[in-house]
Amino acid sequence: MAIVDYGSSNLYSVINACKYFGFEVDITDNPQMIRNADAVILPGVGAFQQAMKNLERLDLIEPIKDFVESGNPFMGICLGLQLLFESSEEFGATKGLGLVNGTIRKFPNDLEKNFKVPQIGWNTIVDPKNGNWENSPLNSLKSEEFMYFVHSYYADIEDIGAISSLTTYNGTNYCSSLQKDNIFATQFHPEKSGEKGLEIYKNWFNSF
């Protein structure tokens, strides 16, 4: 399994989650290792624009797309989810990987209601299909489980059928996880979300 190292990643907490379940991981910025991996995790924290610049500088954009095209399991976490989209409004319009249709937008500030941006802390994820997340890495969880979030921007997704969970913050109902073909991605941090978050990694690992 390869964890993509592009200079914007929460690597150690993700590595620890993988090792907790006995998975060997390669932390890499090598394009060929990413292409040849049996599974790939794209983690991330920080700014969308800088992350895309890093991926471009390291010549990792096409290898990531090639890997997803291969059909092997791919997971995005936090910024790693956002980078999958067509574009982001952060610091002006920035093109993303274009693997999921939609745009990354900023939460509105509403200090009168004491909602601050970024969203930092625990919030619930809700199953929009009331199907108990069958055939999903969320399948051992119940709707309205709490997960840990740190982000100022959210996914305004066009692929409605790809939404795995929804979360509401400051009146904005947004996609907090998605599943599209071999892609699974979360806006929250499973590795920082306690036992239930670690279950998501376990379920994803058990799917391949």
Side-chain angles (χ1 to χ4, degrees):
M1 180 187 307
I3 298 178
V4 182
D5 181 5
Y6 60 104
S8 298
S9 304
N10 51 320
L11 290 174
Y12 292 105
S13 55
V14 175
I15 291 165
N16 288 337
C18 294
K19 289 184 175 179
Y20 180 80
F21 293 108
F23 276 82
E24 294 184 6
V25 296
D26 292 311
I27 304 151
T28 184
D29 60 5
N30 183 290
Q32 204 54 42
M33 285 186 69
I34 292 169
R35 284 191 172 98
N36 294 337
D38 54 359
V40 166
I41 297 177
L42 180 67
V45 293
F48 186 104
Q49 187 179 82
Q50 186 60 55
M52 285 303 300
K53 286 181 179 178
N54 291 353
L55 290 175
E56 184 175 13
R57 175 177 55 83
L58 294 166
D59 194 26
L60 295 181
I61 292 176
E62 290 308 315
I64 290 171
K65 290 182 177 181
D66 290 345
F67 179 84
V68 171
E69 182 100 359
S70 76
N72 287 323
F74 181 94
M75 185 176 186
I77 302 166
C78 195
L79 182 59
L81 172 143
Q82 296 185 4
L83 295 171
L84 300 174
F85 282 73
E86 294 171 294
S87 64
S88 171
E89 297 178 343
E90 188 173 4
F91 300 121
T94 302
K95 185 178 179 182
L97 294 171
L99 296 167
V100 178
N101 294 332
T103 302
I104 304 302
R105 306 189 189 280
K106 189 171 185 178
F107 285 122
N109 276 297
D110 193 343
L111 298 181
E112 290 183 4
K113 295 182 180 179
N114 202 31
F115 281 100
K116 298 179 181 179
V117 178
Q119 175 185 201
I120 301 176
W122 297 86
N123 203 342
T124 55
I125 60 172
V126 176
D127 178 5
K129 302 172 186 175
N130 298 314
N132 297 318
W133 286 311
E134 294 180 7
N135 303 314
S136 163
L138 303 176
N139 59 20
S140 64
L141 280 65
K142 295 179 180 179
S143 188
E144 299 191 16
E145 293 278 9
F146 279 88
M147 293 289 144
Y148 191 79
F149 293 81
V150 182
H151 62 124
S152 300
Y153 290 76
Y154 68 93
D156 183 4
I157 189 170
E158 294 178 14
D159 296 330
I160 301 301
I163 296 174
S164 288
S165 68
L166 293 168
T167 295
T168 301
Y169 186 69
N170 191 18
T172 300
N173 197 33
Y174 67 94
C175 171
S176 52
S177 67
L178 65 90
Q179 187 165 2
K180 180 182 178 184
D181 301 323
N182 57 316
I183 296 172
F184 174 71
T186 67
Q187 179 62 70
F188 54 89
H189 290 272
E191 70 283 355
K192 296 181 179 180
S193 298
E195 180 181 344
K196 291 300 181 181
L198 289 176
E199 281 185 22
I200 295 171
Y201 279 102
K202 181 180 179 181
N203 296 338
W204 185 68
F205 296 148
N206 288 340
S207 71
F208 57 89

